C-alpha cells in the first residue's frame, strides 16, 4: 500500500516538473525581456557572409542594413562640455527588413541628449560595425581589426514630417525591427529623423580608410534579405512550436 502510494506521488512529481519545464521554456521563447527582445540580433549571420571587401558600396550597404543600433556623435549642448563631441547609442534602420534604402532612420525624443544637441546643430556622424552582427566574433577578429568593417556616415539630421509617405515607411520599419518602440512613453513627443549623408568613410581591410561616393551608395540596389529570411524562419519555428 505505502509502496504504491510513494510510486504514485513520484509519478505526479515527475509529471509536474516536466510540465513546469515545458511551460517555462515556452514562456522564455515568447516573453524573454518581455515581448521586446530582438531574437535575430545574435544569429542573423548564421549561414551568411558579408560581401567581399573589395566591393565597397555593397559592403557599406550591407553593414548598415544588418546593424540594429548605431553610435551617434553630436556637438554637445551640455553646459559642462558645450562644444565637445558627445556620443550616444540609437536604434537604427535603413528601411524595412525587405526594403533597404541606405538612409539611416531614427526614433527620437526631444528629451534625449542627441535630439537636444541636434536642435542646435544638425551635424552628426554615426558609426556601425560588423562586430554588432557577431560576424567578427565568428572569425575571431578584434572589433578594431580592419577586417571587422566599420562604417562612418556623416551628415545633417532632419526631422521627417508626420503624415508623409516617408514618415509612414520609416516609422513602420523602426517598429518592425525594434518592437519595444511601440511601448515607449507616449508623453515623450517622439519623432522620426533621418540623416542626409554628406560623407561615407569605411575601414574594411588593411590599407587605411576608404571613401564611398554618396551618389553610388544611395543608387546601389541592395537586395540582401538575410534579415527578412531569418525573421521569417523564426516565425515558422514558433508556429511549429505551437
Amino acid at each position: 500500500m505505502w509502496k504504491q502510494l510513494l510510486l504514485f506521488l513520484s509519478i505526479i512529481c515527475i509529471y509536474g516538473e516536466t510540465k513546469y519545464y515545458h511551460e517555462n521554456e515556452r514562456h522564455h521563447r515568447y516573453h524573454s525581456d518581455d515581448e521586446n527582445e530582438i531574437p535575430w540580433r545574435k544569429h542573423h549571420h548564421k549561414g551568411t557572409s558579408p560581401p567581399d571587401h573589395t566591393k565597397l558600396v555593397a559592403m557599406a550597404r550591407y553593414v548598415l542594413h544588418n546593424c540594429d543600433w548605431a553610435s551617434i556623435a553630436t556637438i554637445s549642448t551640455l553646459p559642462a562640455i558645450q562644444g565637445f563631441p558627445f556620443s550616444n547609442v540609437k536604434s537604427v534602420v535603413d528601411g524595412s527588413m525587405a526594403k533597404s534604402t541606405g538612409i539611416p532612420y531614427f526614433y527620437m525624443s526631444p528629451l534625449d541628449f542627441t535630439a537636444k544637441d541636434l536642435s542646435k546643430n544638425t551635424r552628426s556622424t554615426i558609426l556601425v560595425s560588423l562586430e554588432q552582427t557577431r560576424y567578427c566574433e565568428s572569425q575571431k577578429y578584434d572589433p578594431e581589426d580592419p577586417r571587422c568593417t566599420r562604417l562612418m556616415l556623416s551628415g545633417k539630421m532632419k526631422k521627417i514630417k508626420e503624415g508623409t509617405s516617408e514618415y509612414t515607411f520609416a516609422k513602420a520599419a523602426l517598429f518592425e525591427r525594434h518592437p519595444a518602440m511601440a511601448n515607449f512613453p507616449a508623453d515623450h513627443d517622439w519623432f522620426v529623423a533621418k540623416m542626409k549623408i554628406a560623407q561615407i568613410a569605411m575601414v574594411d581591410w588593411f590599407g587605411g580608410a576608404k571613401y564611398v561616393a554618396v551618389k553610388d551608395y544611395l543608387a546601389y540596389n541592395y537586395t540582401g534579405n538575410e534579415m527578412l529570411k531569418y525573421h521569417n524562419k523564426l516565425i515558422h519555428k514558433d508556429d511549429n512550436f505551437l
Side-chain angles (χ1 to χ4, degrees), residues 39-190:
W40 54 88
R41 174 180 292 155
K42 297 180 180 178
H43 305 286
H44 67 254
H45 270 295
K46 188 174 182 181
T48 67
S49 295
D52 186 271
H53 71 91
T54 60
K55 298 178 180 178
L56 300 182
V57 177
M59 177 66 87
R61 290 289 298 271
Y62 178 92
V63 175
L64 181 60
H65 185 66
N66 282 278
C67 286
D68 296 318
W69 58 271
S71 170
I72 179 168
T74 52
I75 304 300
S76 181
T77 56
L78 292 169
I81 55 169
Q82 191 167 5
F84 281 58
F86 190 82
S87 185
N88 199 2
V89 166
K90 285 291 174 189
S91 296
V92 66
V93 297
D94 77 327
S96 67
M97 284 188 279
K99 183 181 179 182
S100 162
T101 68
I103 300 170
Y105 291 106
F106 302 90
Y107 197 49
M108 295 188 182
S109 165
L111 303 177
D112 182 65
F113 290 122
T114 301
K116 288 180 180 179
D117 292 347
L118 293 171
S119 70
K120 300 296 183 182
N121 189 333
T122 60
R123 291 177 295 177
S124 65
T125 293
I126 69 167
L127 180 147
V128 287
S129 168
L130 269 185
E131 171 63 24
Q132 295 166 236
T133 69
R134 293 201 166 182
Y135 172 77
C136 301
E137 180 182 329
S138 72
Q139 301 299 306
K140 303 189 184 307
Y141 295 157
D142 185 86
E144 202 171 334
D145 188 311
R147 294 169 295 180
C148 185
T149 303
R150 52 190 182 273
L151 176 70
M152 291 142 281
L153 305 177
S154 299
K156 294 184 177 182
M157 298 294 288
K158 179 182 178 181
K159 185 176 180 179
I160 301 176
K161 186 177 179 180
E162 285 193 46
T164 63
S165 58
E166 184 177 23
Y167 177 89
T168 301
F169 169 74
K171 185 176 180 181
L174 283 158
F175 280 41
E176 175 191 39
R177 184 83 73 95
H178 305 281
M181 288 179 174
N183 298 317
F184 282 3
D187 60 354
H188 282 30
D189 298 323
W190 299 96

